[in-house]
Amino acid sequence: MNRRVVFLFLFAAFFLACNRTTTKMSIKKEPFGTVEGEPIDLYTLKNVNGMTVKIMNYGAIVQSILVPDRKGNFEDVVLGFDYLEGYVKDHSYFGAIVGRYGNRIAKGKFTLDGVEYTLATNNGENHLHGGNKGFDKVVWDAKAVKRKDAVGVKLHYLSKDGEEGYPGNLDVTVTYTLNNENELKIEYRATTDKPTPVNLTNHSYFNLSGNCKRDILEHRLWINADYFTPVDAGLIPTGELWSVKGTPMDFTKPTAIGKRINDDYEQLKFGHGYDHNWVLNEVDGSLKLQVSLFDPGSGRLMEIYTEEPGLQFYSGNFLDGSIIGKGGVAYKYRYGLCLEPQHFPDSPNHPDFPNTILRPGETYHTVSVYRFFVK
Ligand code: GLA
């Protein structure tokens, strides 16, 4: 009898110990191929709830985010590829960190301290997301991060003076961490030895239906913004701020993306849908809940907290089914959307917009957090 009790006790202790180890946060590093002879690794971060995020040191790309739907099914909520090759060949910025200047700079030109600089033009006559070889197409150094409350990857890249036309050596660090609150945090830091524009963000395409089952038109989007920056036909801000009131740009209440996307509204024609910057309310440099995205079909809800003053919302208007992504799925028209917390497009040419110039001695530092729930 005593032996039986002891045995049961030992069994229970063993069971609990096993369970504890399986529900611990974890980080795993695996080889993912090579780019120009440089090894690329894929880091898998997992929290106690089973939420899993994969990140690679090519482009500092988020390759997948697995989160449960309301029935507990874990599925991928970002677009991308199963293999490295897909990312190397593609130019849609799936999951990548974009920079040195995320978004557009008109005609690739700006004047800083009296000197005119010319950047690579890779989007018609404009500069987009850092040029021909932006931060999405370079190999970063990576280091696993293990903290008491989070696991992550710290990525580092030195962007050389003159790269894609930008002045100054820019030393960049991007740290992704996942915690047990189902929060993926991105912390950006940079320093420079010459004044330069900097605007970093993540270019993940979300589809909360899971494994890209439907287009994103049913997703309900909330953006805490009373104004947006209208653009010209080349998607360059005119410099004005327009009220969202009474327009299809009003997401101050959660609204289905498809509800007004085809309205007869010139700004939507210029963007072929939504491809604009919203001016976030109540920006004071602290981390604020500014955006949420809900998919009624799956029950998945994502919240974005950011310190940034703007949000580029792009509704996947250039996806046309020609890209075959993860699991052999064709990424059709509006099957993914980007929500990019950032400074406003073309800020170096708009002195009234929040400043994007980093100077020697200063540190660029900004944080955005993506939090996942079910409802
Ligand atoms: C962005 C731009 C879009 C488009 C995508 C990539 O976020 O705003 O116009 O270029 O990147 O296809």
Side-chain angles (χ1 to χ4, degrees):
M1 181 68 179
N2 265 352
R3 275 171 82 188
R4 199 191 244 173
V5 170
V6 170
F7 175 76
L8 276 175
F9 175 78
L10 285 176
F11 179 77
F14 178 71
F15 180 78
L16 284 174
C18 287
N19 230 20
R20 266 192 60 193
T21 48
T22 51
T23 55
K24 253 200 194 154
M25 305 190 107
S26 64
I27 177 161
K28 191 174 79 186
K29 174 180 165 184
E30 290 163 293
F32 199 53
T34 59
V35 171
E36 288 161 19
E38 298 210 56
I40 305 302
D41 293 310
L42 189 64
Y43 291 80
T44 303
L45 321 178
K46 196 169 183 174
N47 72 9
V48 295
N49 312 313
M51 176 175 166
T52 306
V53 179
K54 294 191 183 195
I55 291 160
M56 72 181 93
N57 63 317
Y58 177 69
I61 289 170
V62 174
Q63 191 261 344
S64 76
I65 300 180
L66 300 180
V67 284
D69 65 6
R70 64 163 73 86
K71 292 184 191 140
N73 298 318
F74 281 81
E75 287 170 315
D76 204 340
V77 292
V78 286
L79 278 56
F81 301 98
D82 289 318
Y83 303 102
L84 180 59
E85 240 196 337
Y87 291 97
V88 175
K89 286 191 185 147
D90 192 73
H91 290 277
S92 314
Y93 309 95
F94 288 115
I97 295 296
V98 289
R100 180 180 301 199
Y101 197 97
N103 220 311
R104 292 174 175 80
I105 296 182
K107 300 193 170 72
K109 287 198 188 298
F110 64 94
T111 301
L112 177 53
D113 298 339
V115 180
E116 192 187 66
Y117 293 92
T118 303
L119 306 172
T121 47
N122 59 325
N123 187 244
E125 56 175 14
N126 300 322
H127 176 87
L128 175 68
H129 296 330
N132 294 318
K133 191 175 180 184
F135 291 1
D136 59 301
K137 285 276 181 273
V138 300
V139 180
W140 298 59
D141 308 319
K143 222 168 65 190
V145 173
K146 281 185 206 155
R147 297 194 192 128
K148 215 176 87 209
D149 57 348
V151 283
V153 190
K154 186 173 182 175
L155 297 132
H156 170 258
Y157 176 63
L158 176 68
S159 168
K160 296 262 174 66
D161 189 8
E163 192 177 282
E164 302 292 316
Y166 288 103
N169 290 294
L170 187 77
D171 201 280
V172 190
T173 305
V174 173
T175 308
Y176 289 100
T177 46
L178 173 68
N179 68 15
N180 288 329
E181 313 302 317
N182 285 3
E183 290 176 342
L184 176 64
K185 175 175 164 187
I186 315 181
E187 186 169 7
Y188 305 83
R189 268 176 205 280
T191 53
T192 184
D193 58 5
K194 281 185 195 164
T196 179
V198 185
N199 191 29
L200 304 177
T201 191
N202 179 278
H203 205 286
S204 286
Y205 288 67
F206 297 97
N207 184 327
L208 301 183
S209 71
N211 302 344
C212 218
K213 283 196 273 294
R214 303 179 279 277
D215 65 34
I216 49 80
L217 299 177
E218 286 287 303
H219 283 45
R220 309 288 196 265
L221 177 64
W222 169 71
I223 308 176
N224 183 27
D226 295 333
Y227 293 87
F228 75 104
T229 51
V231 290
D232 65 18
L235 297 184
I236 297 294
T238 61
E240 297 155 286
L241 306 186
W242 285 3
S243 168
V244 297
K245 234 188 177 148
T247 79
M249 314 307 269
D250 189 351
F251 287 96
T252 52
K253 291 197 186 77
T255 307
I257 290 166
K259 191 171 173 207
R260 302 159 306 186
I261 200 167
N262 297 318
D263 280 12
D264 186 18
Y265 185 65
E266 192 180 46
Q267 284 294 313
L268 288 176
K269 297 213 172 87
F270 288 162
H272 308 280
Y274 295 105
D275 197 350
H276 298 79
N277 168 66
W278 272 256
V279 179
L280 298 173
N281 296 335
E282 299 150 56
V283 171
D284 62 7
S286 68
L287 201 57
K288 292 241 159 81
L289 173 61
Q290 297 283 31
V291 183
S292 74
L293 183 69
F294 175 62
D295 172 42
S298 65
R300 292 189 181 94
L301 170 68
M302 178 178 78
E303 289 181 345
I304 301 179
Y305 297 72
T306 188
E307 300 175 356
E308 287 296 305
L311 178 91
Q312 181 82 14
F313 161 40
Y314 163 60
S315 51
N317 315 307
F318 299 122
L319 299 175
D320 60 5
S322 60
I323 299 170
I324 308 300
K326 286 182 268 188
V329 174
Y331 292 148
K332 293 189 262 186
Y333 190 45
R334 297 176 176 160
Y335 263 57
L337 72 135
C338 301
L339 297 166
E340 309 159 47
Q342 56 184 227
H343 274 57
F344 306 174
D346 200 30
S347 297
N349 293 310
H350 294 281
D352 295 346
F353 286 179
N355 175 51
T356 54
I357 305 300
L358 180 71
R359 294 183 179 274
E362 297 173 345
T363 301
Y364 172 95
H365 181 246
T366 184
V367 174
S368 293
V369 173
Y370 304 73
R371 185 171 187 189
F372 294 86
F373 304 85
V374 281
K375 213 170 87 176

mmCIF file of all heavy atoms in Angstrom, residues 191-206:
data_model
loop_
_atom_site.group_PDB
_atom_site.id
_atom_site.type_symbol
_atom_site.label_atom_id
_atom_site.label_comp_id
_atom_site.label_asym_id
_atom_site.label_seq_id
_atom_site.Cartn_x
_atom_site.Cartn_y
_atom_site.Cartn_z
ATOM 1 N N THR A 191 21.889 54.044 -34.896
ATOM 2 C CA THR A 191 22.747 55.221 -34.711
ATOM 3 C C THR A 191 23.462 55.475 -36.035
ATOM 4 O O THR A 191 23.587 54.567 -36.866
ATOM 5 C CB THR A 191 23.799 55.005 -33.605
ATOM 6 O OG1 THR A 191 24.517 53.799 -33.885
ATOM 7 C CG2 THR A 191 23.164 54.916 -32.225
ATOM 8 N N THR A 192 23.953 56.698 -36.212
ATOM 9 C CA THR A 192 24.572 57.064 -37.484
ATOM 10 C C THR A 192 25.801 57.939 -37.264
ATOM 11 O O THR A 192 25.944 58.530 -36.195
ATOM 12 C CB THR A 192 23.544 57.820 -38.364
ATOM 13 O OG1 THR A 192 24.117 58.107 -39.636
ATOM 14 C CG2 THR A 192 23.103 59.134 -37.724
ATOM 15 N N ASP A 193 26.656 58.013 -38.290
ATOM 16 C CA ASP A 193 27.795 58.932 -38.185
ATOM 17 C C ASP A 193 27.639 60.160 -39.097
ATOM 18 O O ASP A 193 28.521 61.001 -39.157
ATOM 19 C CB ASP A 193 29.134 58.201 -38.422
ATOM 20 C CG ASP A 193 29.208 57.508 -39.765
ATOM 21 O OD1 ASP A 193 28.260 57.666 -40.584
ATOM 22 O OD2 ASP A 193 30.198 56.800 -40.017
ATOM 23 N N LYS A 194 26.508 60.230 -39.836
ATOM 24 C CA LYS A 194 26.150 61.431 -40.613
ATOM 25 C C LYS A 194 24.635 61.569 -40.546
ATOM 26 O O LYS A 194 23.946 60.550 -40.488
ATOM 27 C CB LYS A 194 26.523 61.254 -42.094
ATOM 28 C CG LYS A 194 27.978 61.450 -42.434
ATOM 29 C CD LYS A 194 28.155 61.364 -43.943
ATOM 30 C CE LYS A 194 29.616 61.193 -44.293
ATOM 31 N NZ LYS A 194 29.790 60.740 -45.678
ATOM 32 N N PRO A 195 24.107 62.784 -40.613
ATOM 33 C CA PRO A 195 22.649 62.924 -40.604
ATOM 34 C C PRO A 195 22.035 62.133 -41.768
ATOM 35 O O PRO A 195 22.547 62.171 -42.895
ATOM 36 C CB PRO A 195 22.421 64.427 -40.804
ATOM 37 C CG PRO A 195 23.698 65.067 -40.368
ATOM 38 C CD PRO A 195 24.791 64.090 -40.696
ATOM 39 N N THR A 196 20.947 61.421 -41.473
ATOM 40 C CA THR A 196 20.289 60.593 -42.496
ATOM 41 C C THR A 196 18.817 60.376 -42.145
ATOM 42 O O THR A 196 18.479 60.320 -40.964
ATOM 43 C CB THR A 196 20.993 59.213 -42.634
ATOM 44 O OG1 THR A 196 20.300 58.431 -43.623
ATOM 45 C CG2 THR A 196 21.005 58.431 -41.329
ATOM 46 N N PRO A 197 17.968 60.235 -43.149
ATOM 47 C CA PRO A 197 16.584 59.835 -42.836
ATOM 48 C C PRO A 197 16.529 58.356 -42.438
ATOM 49 O O PRO A 197 17.266 57.534 -43.009
ATOM 50 C CB PRO A 197 15.837 60.054 -44.158
ATOM 51 C CG PRO A 197 16.846 60.301 -45.204
ATOM 52 C CD PRO A 197 18.192 60.455 -44.584
ATOM 53 N N VAL A 198 15.699 58.038 -41.474
ATOM 54 C CA VAL A 198 15.480 56.644 -41.055
ATOM 55 C C VAL A 198 13.994 56.456 -40.783
ATOM 56 O O VAL A 198 13.370 57.303 -40.130
ATOM 57 C CB VAL A 198 16.246 56.284 -39.753
ATOM 58 C CG1 VAL A 198 16.087 54.798 -39.431
ATOM 59 C CG2 VAL A 198 17.710 56.645 -39.835
ATOM 60 N N ASN A 199 13.436 55.368 -41.274
ATOM 61 C CA ASN A 199 12.035 55.042 -41.016
ATOM 62 C C ASN A 199 11.902 53.533 -41.175
ATOM 63 O O ASN A 199 11.894 53.021 -42.290
ATOM 64 C CB ASN A 199 11.136 55.774 -42.041
ATOM 65 C CG ASN A 199 9.668 55.698 -41.696
ATOM 66 O OD1 ASN A 199 9.291 55.607 -40.522
ATOM 67 N ND2 ASN A 199 8.809 55.728 -42.712
ATOM 68 N N LEU A 200 11.854 52.840 -40.041
ATOM 69 C CA LEU A 200 11.850 51.371 -40.090
ATOM 70 C C LEU A 200 10.492 50.819 -39.684
ATOM 71 O O LEU A 200 9.848 51.333 -38.777
ATOM 72 C CB LEU A 200 12.924 50.815 -39.142
ATOM 73 C CG LEU A 200 14.345 51.306 -39.378
ATOM 74 C CD1 LEU A 200 15.293 50.730 -38.325
ATOM 75 C CD2 LEU A 200 14.834 50.921 -40.775
ATOM 76 N N THR A 201 10.086 49.769 -40.376
ATOM 77 C CA THR A 201 8.852 49.089 -39.990
ATOM 78 C C THR A 201 8.895 47.645 -40.463
ATOM 79 O O THR A 201 9.835 47.235 -41.153
ATOM 80 C CB THR A 201 7.602 49.818 -40.539
ATOM 81 O OG1 THR A 201 6.429 49.272 -39.920
ATOM 82 C CG2 THR A 201 7.468 49.703 -42.043
ATOM 83 N N ASN A 202 7.880 46.899 -40.064
ATOM 84 C CA ASN A 202 7.768 45.515 -40.515
ATOM 85 C C ASN A 202 6.661 45.427 -41.560
ATOM 86 O O ASN A 202 5.605 46.034 -41.404
ATOM 87 C CB ASN A 202 7.458 44.595 -39.331
ATOM 88 C CG ASN A 202 7.306 43.155 -39.778
ATOM 89 O OD1 ASN A 202 6.246 42.741 -40.243
ATOM 90 N ND2 ASN A 202 8.364 42.384 -39.671
ATOM 91 N N HIS A 203 6.930 44.665 -42.611
ATOM 92 C CA HIS A 203 6.024 44.603 -43.757
ATOM 93 C C HIS A 203 5.291 43.259 -43.841
ATOM 94 O O HIS A 203 5.113 42.708 -44.930
ATOM 95 C CB HIS A 203 6.819 44.878 -45.035
ATOM 96 C CG HIS A 203 6.019 45.425 -46.166
ATOM 97 N ND1 HIS A 203 5.152 44.657 -46.910
ATOM 98 C CD2 HIS A 203 5.935 46.666 -46.689
ATOM 99 C CE1 HIS A 203 4.595 45.399 -47.842
ATOM 100 N NE2 HIS A 203 5.050 46.619 -47.733
ATOM 101 N N SER A 204 4.841 42.734 -42.703
ATOM 102 C CA SER A 204 4.077 41.474 -42.727
ATOM 103 C C SER A 204 2.728 41.683 -43.391
ATOM 104 O O SER A 204 2.082 42.717 -43.207
ATOM 105 C CB SER A 204 3.853 40.963 -41.302
ATOM 106 O OG SER A 204 5.054 40.434 -40.795
ATOM 107 N N TYR A 205 2.317 40.678 -44.162
ATOM 108 C CA TYR A 205 0.980 40.650 -44.741
ATOM 109 C C TYR A 205 0.147 39.733 -43.853
ATOM 110 O O TYR A 205 0.436 38.541 -43.750
ATOM 111 C CB TYR A 205 0.998 40.032 -46.142
ATOM 112 C CG TYR A 205 1.609 40.870 -47.229
ATOM 113 C CD1 TYR A 205 2.976 41.169 -47.241
ATOM 114 C CD2 TYR A 205 0.831 41.326 -48.298
ATOM 115 C CE1 TYR A 205 3.532 41.910 -48.271
ATOM 116 C CE2 TYR A 205 1.390 42.069 -49.336
ATOM 117 C CZ TYR A 205 2.741 42.348 -49.308
ATOM 118 O OH TYR A 205 3.292 43.073 -50.330
ATOM 119 N N PHE A 206 -0.895 40.282 -43.240
ATOM 120 C CA PHE A 206 -1.723 39.482 -42.350
ATOM 121 C C PHE A 206 -2.969 38.971 -43.071
ATOM 122 O O PHE A 206 -3.532 39.659 -43.931
ATOM 123 C CB PHE A 206 -2.171 40.315 -41.140
ATOM 124 C CG PHE A 206 -1.013 40.763 -40.281
ATOM 125 C CD1 PHE A 206 -0.465 42.037 -40.424
ATOM 126 C CD2 PHE A 206 -0.472 39.901 -39.342
ATOM 127 C CE1 PHE A 206 0.613 42.444 -39.643
ATOM 128 C CE2 PHE A 206 0.598 40.297 -38.544
ATOM 129 C CZ PHE A 206 1.140 41.572 -38.699
#
